[in-house]
Amino acid sequence: MASLHLHLSSHLQVSPPRSLSLRRRRLAPIRALSVPSTALTQDDLKKLAAIKAVEYVSSGMVLGLGTGSTAAFVVDEIGALLNSGKLTGIVGVPTSKRTFEQAQSLGIPLSTLDEHPRLDLAIDGADEVDPNLDLVKGRGGALLREKMVEAASDKFVVVVDETKLVTGLGGSGLAMPVEVVQFCWKYNLTRLQDLFKEEGVEAKLRLDTDGSPYVTDNSNYIVDLYFKTPIKDAGAAGKEISALEGVVDHGLFLDMASAIIIAGKDGVSVKNL
């Protein structure tokens, strides 16, 4: 893995992400570097993308630390660079309790939005990425804190492997999560399903491994929406979901990403807006 990392780093040059004001201007993706497909597992791809994402980090930054399997590789890499002295003065704002625990174990200094209401950069994974670089996030259950931290960041770099690319949000057929208060959750599950009745959406309460309702770090439940076809108007869908009383937030992350780092069988590529 080390030799592969060096090979990629020496050949792929990535410009820093542009400011938020330029996010919606689409640029051509950087061509991926060719690497032997037989050498890469999905975890290898995630590690490569994570290593590339950390190239956006500079000493002295306040960073939003994402949640999930890909984001965990990012946090590991930041911890390693801090411990080696290659990065200094980093402060992390975690997006979940498990990211807090991971970062703390690696010696990364931590804070909150209360102390740092503006962040220099957030790095996180995504469950789906569409051609406009809009996202579905939250299958790991941390969507509310992720959205709060990433919305407070000057730049938001997303790290994915190529399996997360879709033609339209909801197009994977997997969950699009909605965080709801526990009070009368069935009432809101029914309303969410009725909201997308014409699309044939199925709404399910997320369950934990023991069969009990999954509880977020904010003591809420999650209703997962399963779309049979891509969402036609994600912006309108997000507004309709948010307008329901008892809905806390949803997993549509729109107009937020500054850059997407994509690891695939042919290497790593970067798309900017």
Side-chain angles (χ1 to χ4, degrees), residues 70-270:
T70 306
F73 289 124
V74 173
V75 176
D76 281 342
E77 182 72 5
I78 292 170
L81 292 173
L82 273 173
N83 290 326
S84 71
K86 294 179 180 178
L87 282 178
T88 59
I90 294 295
V91 175
V93 177
T95 54
S96 66
K97 291 178 180 178
R98 58 185 180 275
T99 299
F100 173 90
E101 292 168 356
Q102 179 194 7
Q104 189 176 54
S105 72
L106 295 169
I108 299 174
L110 298 176
S111 187
T112 68
L113 290 177
D114 291 336
E115 286 74 37
H116 293 89
R118 292 303 307 172
L119 282 65
D120 298 297
L121 171 69
I123 305 176
D124 203 354
D127 301 308
E128 294 182 8
V129 180
D130 77 2
N132 295 320
L133 308 195
D134 288 327
L135 317 170
V136 168
K137 288 177 51 56
R139 288 179 192 153
L143 62 145
L144 175 59
R145 297 190 187 191
E146 287 174 336
K147 191 174 285 188
M148 290 177 67
V149 169
E150 287 146 16
S153 301
D154 290 338
K155 299 179 182 67
F156 175 30
V157 174
V158 180
V159 187
V160 296
D161 65 79
E162 61 187 357
T163 65
K164 304 301 174 62
L165 303 180
V166 296
T167 57
L169 298 183
S172 70
L174 301 176
M176 199 291 283
V178 179
E179 188 161 342
V180 301
V181 297
Q182 294 192 30
F183 176 72
C184 294
W185 65 264
K186 290 182 180 179
Y187 166 70
N188 272 318
L189 183 149
T190 300
R191 290 205 295 170
L192 285 165
Q193 184 154 305
D194 288 345
L195 191 62
F196 301 102
K197 184 184 298 183
E198 292 183 3
E199 290 86 352
V201 169
E202 185 176 11
K204 294 182 178 180
L205 180 69
R206 185 176 299 187
L207 302 179
D208 220 330
T209 53
D210 62 0
S212 62
Y214 176 88
V215 179
T216 70
D217 287 347
N218 317 296
S219 300
N220 296 315
Y221 287 170
I222 289 180
V223 173
D224 286 320
L225 302 182
Y226 294 87
F227 289 83
K228 295 181 179 179
T229 58
I231 302 169
K232 294 178 182 178
D233 186 338
K239 290 178 181 178
E240 290 177 331
I241 293 169
S242 295
L244 298 177
E245 300 83 3
V247 165
V248 180
D249 214 329
H250 55 75
L252 296 171
F253 284 53
L254 309 178
D255 299 323
M256 293 180 65
S258 307
I260 310 289
I261 298 178
I262 306 160
K265 293 178 180 179
D266 295 326
V268 176
S269 61
V270 180

